[in-house]
Amino acid sequence: MSKFTAHPADDIAIATIRALAADVVGKANSGHPGAPMGMAPVAHVLFTRFFNANPKNSKWFNRDRFVLSNGHACALQYILLHLLGYKLSMDDLKQFRQIDSLTPGHPEAGHTDGIEVTTGPLGQGFANGVGLAIAQAHLGATFNKDGFDLINNYTYVFTGDGCLMEGVASEAASLAGHLQLGNLIAIYDDNHISIDGDTAVAFTEDVEKRFQAYGWQTLHVDNGDSDLEAIYNAIVEARKEKNKPTLIRLRTTIGFGSKQQGTHGVHGSPLKPDDIQALKSKFGLPAEQSFYVPKETYDAYHEVAARGAKLEAAWNDLLASYAQKYPTEHAELTRRIAGKLPDGWEKSLPVYKPSDAAQASRKLSELVLTAIVPKLPELIGGSADLTGSNLTRTKTMIDFQPESTGLGSYKGTYIRFGVREHGMGAIANGLHAYGGIIPFVATFLNFVSYAAGAVRLSALSGHQVLWIATHDSIGLGEDGPTHQPIETAAHFRAMPNLDFWRPADGNETSAAYYSALTRKHTPSILSLSRQNLPNLEGSTIERALKGGYVVYEVEGEDLTFVSTGSEVSIVLEAAQKLKAEGIKARVVSLPCWSIFDLQPAEYKLSVLRSGAPILAVEALSTVGWQKYSHEAYGLTGWGASGPYKKVYEKFGLTGPNIAEVGKKVVDFYKKKGGEVVSPLVRAIESIGGNHL
């Protein structure tokens, strides 16, 4: 690129951003003005000199991606979006942090035009950026041709001290270095301030040397407050490096221009009115005027927007030419950009009958992947160093690796995440945010808890991420309580907009995949067994897709069992033992609570009906089952180490014992007397609302 050239509006535009940051936070009387004021110069240089995007079409596919990992600084991002002409008005800025506004307290993807990913929990955005960069590298390698550099955008990440203290960022940075992601540029706001004060109290490492050890290029700018040329030159150098991600350490003064600049007092509190007035006077802006934007500032940013519109128009022309020369690839690329699955892909899902051999649901998952991966090239993912246990790499997959390693290529669809569960989950969110990709990730169910922060942001943001979570109960056996999930399902079932599937057999496993792949704005966790599970009488993909169904029906029942996963076959055995004693028991399989909850009330009440007590049985914590059952039998403490059948016996999770428990429930409710009403019949259906 050419050398830095000053623009007449540079100084006034940066002053405008700083003053607006003070006004936005001041009017709300809530927020973080310091980082936006400190990072105004780098934001201005990045967006006016380098950033390729079209504010009139925030979803242009080859746009550069911007991530504000230090999401508390979102006043900066909202101001930039407004100046550039995204769908964010001055009135929206004035509604910062107010109910139902487009400017919430931290950036939310899908809520505010121009926001790529939801950030705020520190380090998550940094890892999302790695996912965005992987997505570009993969799709570029897959679809670009000589003369058709269709997918070549950069991902820029603003990050702060807090982000770089978080482990999730370290995990992602380590993998990004290994993967040689030269399309990723992170700009580190090194302002030496966190909430507790100077970072000297807790964060004194040499960040540049750490990132060099990860395999990153590191650059630094000593005066990020005003040296625009140095900022410009650092970004130019970062863009030249094609085989390493780059970290630019930018030394800034938090709250630059205010009376509290350089202190933690300006980090998370509004400036006082007299300070805001003095700030504006210092920068040559009207002291008494709030939310003031000079014409020169608007003009400078409208020039950027016009450039972006021209870039998209040229790209659209290139895409049209690509369609003429490569019609097959064009059809595939545009299908994936549109998020449309190939016609008839679901016909490849395995279907089972009761006479088919019993298999672990993790093996059933592998069979699904083997069948659908050739049909769904957008499925990209991997495991956290548990490939042989999760059974997630099919024979047709190639590893996603730099070709220089000899281990694969960027065209590959299988990612070796290493032992980095949290980073893996956050990277997957970035993969989905990019578009054209449906990410899957895998580990033991217990270790999805390591990644809970990323899973939560998947659900909040509507990222369609598939978690393949094997070894899902005490049924994993010998590894013992450290690896046996007890509370994990309860946690994730309680999470809004998350489908937690625990299939009992082959058809339910196929149904779980169908649901996960068609629920475009909901992440799914597939909770899968290590031990073999028999294929059930009465199970079908169609029935399982209702989230719950009657797997064994009787009329005039004394008891209904409801269960999931590996325990469904146990309660079926118990029902047969009770039948031999003249006690009638129905059996319901409830593989996915959230999907069942979406069904019509009439259907739900036909499955979990009134008239007899309902007993839930699961080799997990019983928390949450009160919504669907009168009684619940499960684990109230930790598991145990030993052969899995012995562990099940220890905790009474056997057909004979569950039959005895069932008899106690029947006897109790008969003695109690009165009508037994389904737990689904309630005065209050729900509290609160759906965020999405």
Side-chain angles (χ1 to χ4, degrees):
M1 295 187 69
S2 59
K3 291 185 178 180
F4 174 76
T5 302
H7 188 288
D10 282 339
D11 289 344
I12 193 68
I14 292 167
T16 303
I17 294 169
R18 284 171 163 153
L20 278 175
D23 282 339
V24 165
V25 175
K27 185 175 187 301
N29 197 31
S30 174
H32 301 75
M37 294 167 69
M39 296 195 81
V42 68
H44 174 72
V45 171
L46 174 63
F47 279 88
T48 58
R49 276 27 177 229
F50 298 98
F51 200 75
N52 294 333
N54 180 10
K56 299 307 178 188
N57 178 17
S58 62
K59 296 302 181 184
W60 169 37
F61 197 70
N62 197 42
R63 67 192 180 276
D64 287 336
R65 268 56 168 190
F66 175 73
V67 177
L68 185 73
S69 188
N70 46 341
H72 55 272
C74 58
L76 173 64
Q77 191 168 13
Y78 297 149
I79 290 164
L80 292 167
L81 292 173
H82 168 70
L83 294 176
L84 286 164
Y86 286 82
K87 296 172 185 174
L88 206 67
S89 68
M90 184 61 80
D91 285 339
D92 292 322
L93 295 184
K94 293 176 181 178
Q95 289 299 304
F96 181 57
R97 290 190 162 218
Q98 304 307 302
I99 292 290
D100 295 330
S101 79
L102 293 177
T103 48
H106 291 87
E108 296 181 24
H111 183 73
T112 307
D113 189 39
I115 301 294
E116 300 286 357
V117 292
T118 300
T119 60
L122 295 176
Q124 294 287 338
F126 186 101
N128 296 163
V130 175
L132 290 164
I134 291 172
Q136 184 281 321
H138 171 72
L139 291 170
T142 302
F143 290 104
N144 289 351
K145 307 285 186 184
D146 288 342
F148 293 94
D149 202 15
L150 276 174
I151 302 172
N152 62 0
N153 68 278
Y154 283 89
T155 294
Y156 298 96
V157 178
F158 280 6
T159 189
D161 292 300
C163 294
L164 298 188
M165 293 184 213
E166 290 283 2
V168 65
S170 299
E171 292 178 22
S174 174
L175 184 60
H178 164 73
L179 292 175
Q180 302 175 20
L181 299 174
N183 56 358
L184 175 61
I185 298 170
I187 299 174
Y188 162 37
D189 180 26
D190 180 22
N191 61 31
H192 286 213
I193 295 294
S194 64
I195 290 174
D196 275 2
D198 195 296
T199 53
V201 302
F203 191 54
T204 53
E205 68 189 43
D206 189 322
V207 171
E208 285 192 65
K209 286 184 178 177
R210 171 156 68 98
F211 274 74
Q212 288 167 15
Y214 289 148
W216 288 54
Q217 171 181 235
T218 62
L219 306 168
H220 60 265
V221 176
D222 291 328
N223 177 13
D225 295 331
S226 59
D227 193 344
L228 305 189
E229 184 173 3
I231 294 169
Y232 177 91
N233 290 338
I235 298 174
V236 168
E237 285 302 307
R239 287 163 57 99
K240 286 179 182 176
E241 175 56 69
K242 303 303 181 186
N243 298 311
K244 293 180 179 181
T246 295
L247 179 80
I248 301 173
R249 181 178 61 80
L250 184 75
R251 189 72 176 92
T252 68
T253 302
I254 192 170
F256 183 85
S258 77
K259 296 176 182 178
Q260 295 190 79
Q261 71 173 36
T263 72
H264 72 278
V266 76
H267 169 79
S269 301
L271 303 185
K272 290 182 169 48
D274 65 318
D275 196 357
I276 295 176
Q277 290 185 353
L279 173 86
K280 291 174 181 176
S281 295
K282 185 185 298 183
F283 290 141
L285 297 171
E288 302 294 333
Q289 197 165 339
S290 296
F291 294 94
Y292 174 72
V293 180
K295 182 177 182 299
E296 304 96 303
T297 299
Y298 273 133
D299 288 347
Y301 277 84
H302 291 167
E303 287 175 17
V304 176
R307 182 186 76 206
K310 289 179 181 178
L311 286 169
E312 185 188 358
W315 186 83
N316 288 335
D317 290 341
L318 184 66
L319 184 64
S321 299
Y322 183 82
Q324 295 296 316
K325 192 166 184 180
Y326 302 103
T328 302
E329 290 86 345
H330 175 268
E332 179 65 10
L333 174 60
T334 52
R335 176 189 72 77
R336 290 175 61 171
I337 291 173
K340 183 179 184 297
L341 295 175
D343 292 337
W345 73 272
E346 69 279 3
K347 295 175 184 174
S348 62
L349 288 168
V351 178
Y352 297 87
K353 52 186 183 296
S355 58
D356 290 333
Q359 298 188 82
S361 53
R362 62 169 175 155
K363 179 64 179 177
L364 295 165
S365 165
E366 181 186 35
L367 294 172
V368 173
L369 286 172
T370 300
I372 67 174
V373 161
K375 309 286 185 183
L376 299 173
E378 57 263 55
L379 266 181
I380 298 172
S383 167
D385 198 49
L386 287 169
T387 297
S389 295
N390 300 143
L391 305 179
T392 40
R393 190 180 189 275
T394 68
K395 292 179 180 178
T396 61
M397 286 180 168
I398 297 170
D399 281 8
F400 177 87
Q401 298 276 4
E403 289 198 7
S404 61
T405 64
L407 299 171
S409 80
Y410 284 163
K411 291 183 180 179
T413 58
Y414 195 78
I415 302 171
R416 305 285 185 166
F417 284 105
V419 189
R420 303 182 179 101
E421 293 88 354
H422 200 182
M424 174 176 71
I427 287 168
N429 289 343
L431 286 168
H432 183 262
Y434 190 91
I437 288 172
I438 300 176
F440 71 90
V441 291
T443 184
F444 290 177
L445 176 60
N446 192 56
F447 301 128
V448 181
S449 294
Y450 270 154
V455 176
R456 188 175 188 275
L457 284 177
S458 287
L460 178 62
S461 308
H463 290 312
Q464 184 185 17
V465 177
L466 279 67
W467 280 86
I468 298 168
T470 68
H471 297 62
D472 76 335
S473 74
I474 56 172
L476 67 85
E478 291 85 351
D479 276 339
T482 58
H483 285 49
Q484 292 166 350
I486 304 298
E487 78 295 347
T488 313
H491 174 193
F492 290 120
R493 282 168 171 162
M495 193 172 286
N497 193 43
L498 174 70
D499 292 339
F500 184 93
W501 282 89
R502 191 163 185 256
D505 74 349
N507 289 329
E508 290 192 8
T509 303
S510 290
Y513 269 96
Y514 180 90
S515 176
L517 289 166
T518 54
R519 298 261 287 164
K520 294 183 179 181
H521 303 290
T522 300
S524 300
I525 296 176
L526 276 58
S527 173
L528 305 169
S529 72
R530 183 191 183 202
Q531 72 271 36
N532 288 345
L533 307 179
N535 288 296
L536 307 175
E537 291 273 1
S539 87
T540 66
I541 294 175
E542 292 74 21
R543 297 181 81 190
L545 282 171
K546 294 183 181 295
Y549 63 101
V550 181
V551 73
Y552 177 71
E553 182 67 281
V554 296
E555 295 301 324
E557 70 274 10
D558 301 298
L559 176 70
T560 293
F561 287 113
V562 60
S563 189
T564 75
S566 45
E567 288 73 70
V568 174
S569 56
I570 292 173
V571 299
L572 281 165
E573 180 188 348
Q576 292 305 308
K577 291 187 177 299
L578 291 175
K579 181 180 179 182
E581 298 182 36
I583 299 172
K584 295 180 178 180
R586 303 165 71 238
V587 176
V588 169
S589 178
L590 203 70
C592 187
W593 296 6
S594 54
I595 294 293
F596 183 71
D597 289 347
L598 296 174
Q599 305 310 310
E602 183 179 3
Y603 174 77
K604 289 186 288 187
L605 285 168
S606 75
V607 174
L608 297 173
R609 65 195 182 200
S610 299
I614 300 172
L615 169 61
V617 178
E618 195 171 43
L620 302 168
S621 167
T622 61
V623 171
W625 273 110
Q626 67 272 14
K627 183 176 178 181
Y628 306 101
S629 66
H630 302 97
E631 305 287 340
Y633 186 91
L635 275 72
T636 57
W638 303 115
S641 175
Y644 86 88
K645 288 184 179 179
K646 296 291 186 183
V647 178
Y648 267 73
E649 289 173 8
K650 174 181 173 64
F651 293 105
L653 287 158
T654 63
N657 188 61
I658 296 303
E660 290 301 314
V661 173
K663 284 194 285 187
K664 289 180 181 177
V665 172
V666 171
D667 290 345
F668 176 85
Y669 280 86
K670 282 185 176 177
K671 289 177 182 176
K672 180 181 177 184
E675 183 183 5
V676 181
V677 178
S678 169
L680 298 180
V681 179
R682 296 181 180 274
I684 300 173
E685 287 291 322
S686 63
I687 298 173
N690 187 354
H691 181 81
L692 293 178

